[in-house]
Structures are given as structure tokens and as C-alpha cells.
Amino acid sequence: MGLTLAWLSLIVLIPLSTVFIRAAGLGVSEFIEVGFSSRAIAAYKVSFGTALAAALVNAVFGMVVAWVFVRYEFPGKRIFDALIDLPFALPTAVAGIALTAIYAGNGWVGQFLEPLGIKVAYNPIGITIALIFIGLPFIVRSVEPVLADLSAEVEEAALSLGATPVQVFVRIILPSILPALLTGFALALARGVGEYGSVIFIAGNMPFKSEIAPLLIVTQLEQYSYAGATAIAVVMLLISFAMLLFINLAQAWSRRRVDA
Amino acid sequence: MTIRSTHTTASIGLTVVALAFLGIFVALPLVTVFVEALSKGIAPYFSALVDPDAVSAIKLTLTVAAIAVPLNIVFGIAAAWAIAKFDFPGKSILITFIDLPFSVSPVVAGLVYMLLFGMQGWFGPWLREHDFQIIFAVPGIVLATVFVTFPFVARELIPLMQEQGRDDEEAALSLGASGFQTFLRVTLPNIRWGLLYGVLLCNARAMGEFGAVSVVSGHLRGLTNTMPLHVEILYNEYNFVAAFAVASLLALLALVTLVLKSILEWRLGYAHRSAGH
């Protein structure tokens, strides 16, 4: 017990609190000057915008993937199932260079998209694709157990009573899995906002356009501006915290609806 | 009848959509790593792997994992033990704190150690006086790795040990076993598969961590370069074959991890799944 607390404090709590103590040491004007510079604000928008877009794409397709793996049988299912967890196991830098090789202008997929006027790499779209890769297992693994507990009989009863498949989905399936879906969404979002390794290769890292907030922290540190890095980190942490709080409230609300 | 037929059409359609999505977004990057690594043939692939800088990066990555993973095993067991076998106020807050490193950006994880031990950090001047380097050296890399892999073992064991309760241990103790004997003979066998599962995920992350390590490492070739950092350097030098060659080792590690994970999940029962990292 004592060991647990001491180790936790030493490795996690004390180091994390230094960010806030350091930030409190900055003057208000200095904090706003670095933490809310136009370049920093642009970076927050890129980070949170792409993370949100990726989490939304994953919410839709992750739900489809979870559904297919819970309900259907098909050849190679076990291999595909293991593959879903690849983003947890594959180092982010490896994912980053692989995605860049695929989506760069001369890459496997990029060469076909470029003539269509779609630039993926070195663009917010590329960042979103990297975050889709990173976030997918969060959604699938959150939704799967709830879907597995859902009995097919209720759906069949609804269908036989004349409900359309869309009605069954909206009225029966979606409300039951919504809390789990929101959990997965929040996890994917939080991971996406802070993600660094898989993003920096494909992002192109152009200030005001495709520069993510974590990279801006690194840039500040490389210029020995600890104050700047700290201010940006605190703003990021606070926005993430506010977002997660909001999602938790939404989740509590949807859970109450399920229980009712 | 009509319901049946739309059902199967829909099921085939959904399966195709799901597998196509997995194929494009997950399988394709994996395949790319190996294809790019071998694009110039076998010889350049292996010469990239035996390059002295690559070898020292591999050694450093193994060293860091060999320190960080055991530390987290000890902590994970202690934390899960405390939470599952004792009652105390603030339990749920403790669990939240243990999970904290998962919700913090790896870059911020690196930053906090810079603020503590960097040149302008709290202990920076003191460390400099005593000629002991943490930042831009191996201790910093180990610390950052321990931070980001902190929750893996603990969060795997907490639900498992809570579920098993404390009856077995109490029985052993009442029959005269010592605390340590009870742990070794009763608790450890009960949690061994869950523990292995946590260790597996912890190790994969420890060897693959990039963001946190990148901040504190200083990127000194042959000295403080882990495998993922070496991949970055090679890639930025346009040495793509070598970058993908080193990356392919990490991808192999990921594949081995996934295979072992599937086996362990089968051992633990299909219901056991870890969502959330």
C-alpha cells in the first residue's frame, strides 16, 4: 500500500504536478502570450479538429467492425480479429513512416489520389488518417462486449413486427451501445489529441496548417523555451480535461436513458 | 423469407465494409513496412540491421525495456494487491491516478521530466554539480518509458484480483503459511495469465515508445538512440530502406505480441479483453 502510493507519486503525480506549478510561476501575460499565440491556437485547432474527425470516422466504422465480428462468421476471422489490435502493438513511429509511404504524392495510394486533386500527406487529412489508425481499437474493443450481450431475439421480434432495419438500429441497438461507444470515443479522442509519433511524419508540420500541439511543445523545448512548452501543455491538458468531462456527462445521461 | 434474404445481403455488405476498412487502415501500413524494407533486396536490408548505430539502438531498446518492465511488474502487483485485498477510502481515485499516464500526451510525459531534471529544471543545477546526467542520457529514457507504461500491468491485475477475492489467501494464512509463501504459492499462480498479458502489452509499448523518449533522449547516435528514434533519424536522412529495415524489426515485435496476446486471451477465456490503451 505504502509502496504503491510512494511509487505512484514519484513516477506520475509529482512529475505531472510540476507542469502546473511551472505554469503557475509564469505571469498571466506571459502565459497568454505563449499559450495563446496565433501559432499555438492554430495548432490546437489542428490537433483537436483532426482528433475529433478521426474519432467520428472510427465511431461509425468501428461500430460496423464490432458488429461484424460479434454477429457473423467468415474465413480468416481470428486473424482479422488479432489485426484490430495492431495499432496498440505497433510502435507509433513505424506506423507514421508506413502511412507516409502509402499516402505521399508518389506513394502506393497517394499517386492515385494526387491526380484527383486530393492531397493526403503533409495535410490535415493525413493527420486524420494516422489518428484513425491509432484510434480504431479503442472503439471496437469498447463496443464489442456490449454488442455480444445484446440478444438477437429482440431485433428479430422487432423485425417480424414490421420494423425496418434502420428502425431496429436507431431504436434498439444504438441506445444500448451508446454508453460504450462514448467511452471508446473518449479514449480515441484523448489518445488522438496527444498523439505524436504516428502523426509527425505524415503531417508535414507546417505552422498554421498542419502543425499539431504536441509538436509545438517539442519545438519550444528545442529552443530551450521551457515556459512556452509548459504553457502549451497546460492549455492542451485543460481542453482535453474539459472535453472528457463533457463526454462523461453525456455518457452518464445516455446510461440513465438505457436504465430507464 | 424476405427478412432472411435482406439479412444475408446486409451481412455480406457489412462484412465487406468492415474488412475493407481494416485492410486499408490497418493491414496496408503493416504490409508497407516489409515491402519498403525489402524493396532494394535482401543485402541492403541486412546491412542496415548490422550497422553499428542500429545495433546500439537495438541494445538500448532492450536495456530500457529490461529495466522498465520489471519495475512496472513489481508496482503493478503491489497496486493490484493493495486495491483488491484491502479496503481503504479513496480507492477509485487511486485507480484513476494509475490510469493517468494513458490520458496524457507522451510529449507531455517527456516534458515533465525535462522540467524536473533538465538544465533549467528544478534539479538540473544540482545534478550538473554532481556530474550526474538524467536528461539526454539513459536514466531519462528509462524514466519516460516507466511513465508511459505505468498502468499496463496494474490495470490488467486489478479487476482479476478483485474478482478472485481474498478467500484463498485467508485460507492459506490460517493454515500457517507466511505472507510471502501465500503470495508465491497462492496469489501468483492465480494471476499468472493476467500478469503475462499485462507484461506483454507493457513490453510492446516500452520497446516502441517514441514521443516521450524523443523529448528526453537528445538523439545522440549510438548513445541515446532507441530503435524508434533511430527509425526517425534514418527516415529524415532519406535513408528509407534502412529506416524501414529497423522498423520491420519493431513490426515483427508487434506481430509476435499480437500472436501471444491471442493465445493468452484464449487461455483467459474469450470474454477477457482489454479495451483502453
Side-chain angles (χ1 to χ4, degrees), chain A residues 64-213:
Chain A
V64 174
V65 171
W67 174 266
V68 166
F69 277 83
V70 168
R71 287 296 168 90
Y72 307 142
E73 293 301 325
F74 48 89
K77 185 172 170 181
R78 290 197 67 148
I79 293 173
F80 276 106
D81 188 46
L83 199 65
I84 295 174
D85 284 326
L86 181 75
F88 285 157
L90 192 71
T92 53
V94 177
I97 63 169
L99 289 168
T100 313
I102 295 170
Y103 293 102
N106 56 359
W108 292 13
V109 176
Q111 58 180 321
F112 300 110
L113 296 175
E114 197 102 307
L116 305 172
I118 306 170
K119 268 198 67 147
V120 176
Y122 316 127
N123 210 313
I125 302 175
I127 303 175
T128 309
I129 287 187
L131 297 181
I132 290 173
F133 173 84
I134 292 297
L136 181 69
F138 289 100
I139 306 269
V140 178
R141 297 308 185 207
S142 300
V143 172
E144 258 181 344
V146 184
L147 270 183
D149 284 343
L150 217 61
S151 93
E153 284 165 28
V154 184
E155 292 150 37
E156 276 160 19
L159 284 171
S160 71
L161 290 170
T164 65
V166 174
Q167 280 177 322
V168 172
F169 174 75
V170 174
R171 296 282 182 88
I172 298 174
I173 300 168
L174 194 60
S176 328
I177 63 170
L178 196 58
L181 188 63
L182 282 170
T183 304
F185 185 83
L187 290 168
L189 188 67
R191 178 69 199 265
V193 167
E195 181 55 26
Y196 179 69
S198 61
V199 172
I200 53 164
F201 296 99
I202 202 171
N205 307 324
M206 279 168 284
F208 297 102
K209 189 169 169 248
S210 60
E211 185 178 52
I212 53 166

Side-chain angles (χ1 to χ4, degrees), chain B residues 51-190:
Chain B
D51 176 80
D53 287 339
V55 172
S56 76
I58 294 169
K59 277 187 190 153
L60 181 59
T61 289
L62 294 176
T63 310
V64 169
I67 303 171
V69 174
L71 282 176
N72 278 331
I73 292 177
V74 172
F75 168 78
I77 293 176
W81 177 277
I83 286 168
K85 313 280 174 182
F86 300 100
D87 292 312
F88 54 89
K91 219 184 229 191
S92 60
I93 297 177
L94 184 61
I95 297 175
T96 311
F97 279 151
I98 291 174
D99 270 348
L100 214 51
F102 278 155
S103 45
V104 171
S105 171
V107 169
V108 174
L111 168 70
V112 299
Y113 288 109
M114 293 290 279
L115 294 179
L116 280 173
F117 304 119
M119 286 304 279
Q120 301 173 44
W122 287 354
F123 302 109
W126 187 87
L127 288 168
R128 194 180 148 91
E129 259 171 46
H130 293 78
D131 206 24
F132 188 71
Q133 210 177 0
I134 290 182
I135 296 302
F136 304 149
V138 177
I141 298 174
V142 172
L143 276 175
T145 306
V146 171
F147 182 99
V148 292
T149 56
F150 197 76
F152 282 102
V153 177
R155 68 176 295 152
E156 215 50 62
L157 291 184
I158 290 169
L160 191 66
M161 287 171 93
Q162 273 178 332
E163 196 182 305
Q164 285 171 351
R166 43 191 113 157
D167 298 349
D168 289 358
E169 278 86 1
E170 274 163 10
L173 287 171
S174 73
L175 290 171
S178 72
F180 184 68
Q181 277 176 325
T182 309
F183 172 75
L184 212 62
R185 299 280 182 87
V186 179
T187 311
L188 209 53
N190 275 344

